[in-house]
């Protein structure tokens, strides 16, 4: 995976991601995704390209358990969310819907840096500054589940939770 880094700070809440004032769009996630992260960066949705990365500090996705937050990030075309840490419910929701959420040290990544992510090898490369940032490699079952579109899609496709 390769894309540009869009950098955010610590404590980006689900309300920053999926603004509560636009909750009436929850039945039209495609339209809602046009407003993703609008309260953290009003221009994000119009500037990002499919496959770009959201890069953040600690506690990304804190707040309510609304599933719309990771869903609209994925629908918008974000390749992965890379953060120092995630709020527990956001992380679980992201994996359930097939949004790649990676924990690693994001301090050396700047906005606009070109990144390359190899989830099987456990390497995030900042092609702009040459830094190689280790990440925890994902187990094959997790990669398969994400490729299937998340936990629910994986179970439907395999008739249960297939670990092979």
């Amino acid at each position: 995976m390769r894309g540009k880094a869009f950098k955010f700070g610590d404590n980006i809440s689900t309300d920053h991601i999926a603004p509560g004032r636009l909750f009436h769009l929850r039945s039209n996630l495609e339209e809602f995704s046009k407003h993703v992260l609008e309260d953290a960066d009003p221009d994000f949705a119009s500037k990002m390209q499919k496959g770009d990365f959201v890069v953040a500090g600690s506690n990304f996705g804190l707040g309510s358990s609304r599933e719309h937050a990771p869903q609209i990030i994925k629908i918008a075309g974000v390749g992965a969310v890379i953060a120092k840490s995630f709020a527990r419910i956001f992380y679980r929701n992201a994996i359930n819907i097939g949004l790649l959420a990676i924990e690693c040290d994001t301090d050396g990544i700047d906005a606009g840096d070109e990144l390359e992510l190899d989830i099987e090898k456990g390497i995030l490369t900042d092609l702009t500054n040459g830094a190689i940032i280790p990440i925890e490699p994902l187990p094959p079952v997790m990669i398969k589940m994400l490729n299937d579109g998340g936990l629910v899609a994986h179970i439907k496709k395999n008739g249960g939770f297939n670990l092979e």
Side-chain angles (χ1 to χ4, degrees):
M1 305 175 99
R2 199 171 180 168
K4 184 168 63 167
F6 283 85
K7 188 87 182 252
F8 297 89
D10 295 334
N11 300 313
I12 297 298
S13 73
T14 53
D15 205 44
H16 286 108
I17 300 165
R21 72 182 181 293
L22 299 173
F23 203 59
H24 63 280
L25 295 175
R26 70 188 178 277
S27 61
N28 184 347
L29 295 179
E30 194 68 41
E31 186 63 31
F32 206 178
S33 73
K34 295 176 184 174
H35 300 276
V36 67
L37 285 158
E38 185 172 275
D39 286 356
D41 177 355
D43 299 320
F44 172 73
S46 63
K47 289 191 285 185
M48 65 93 40
Q49 300 290 315
K50 185 174 175 64
D52 283 344
F53 300 103
V54 168
V55 178
S58 299
N59 205 21
F60 186 88
L62 79 150
S64 72
S65 62
R66 67 177 78 150
E67 294 174 336
H68 301 91
Q71 286 176 322
I72 67 172
I73 291 173
K74 182 178 177 182
I75 291 167
V78 171
V81 179
I82 303 165
K84 285 184 181 180
S85 65
F86 292 90
R88 180 181 50 85
I89 293 172
F90 178 90
Y91 185 82
R92 185 175 60 220
N93 286 337
I95 297 304
N96 284 346
I97 60 112
L99 174 65
L100 185 57
I102 299 291
E103 287 188 348
C104 68
D105 183 3
T106 58
D107 284 341
I109 302 170
D110 292 322
D113 283 2
E114 187 74 20
L115 304 177
E116 187 172 69
L117 178 62
D118 186 327
I119 57 174
E120 292 175 356
K121 291 182 181 175
I123 297 172
L124 174 66
T125 305
D126 188 324
L127 300 171
T128 303
N129 66 24
I132 296 174
I133 304 162
I135 63 168
E136 191 65 36
L138 296 180
V141 66
M142 180 71 80
I143 293 170
K144 182 172 178 18
M145 188 176 69
L146 288 165
N147 288 336
D148 287 344
L151 179 62
V152 174
H154 178 78
I155 290 171
K156 285 179 181 177
K157 179 179 178 183
N158 294 287
F161 193 72
N162 184 354
L163 295 176
E164 295 178 24

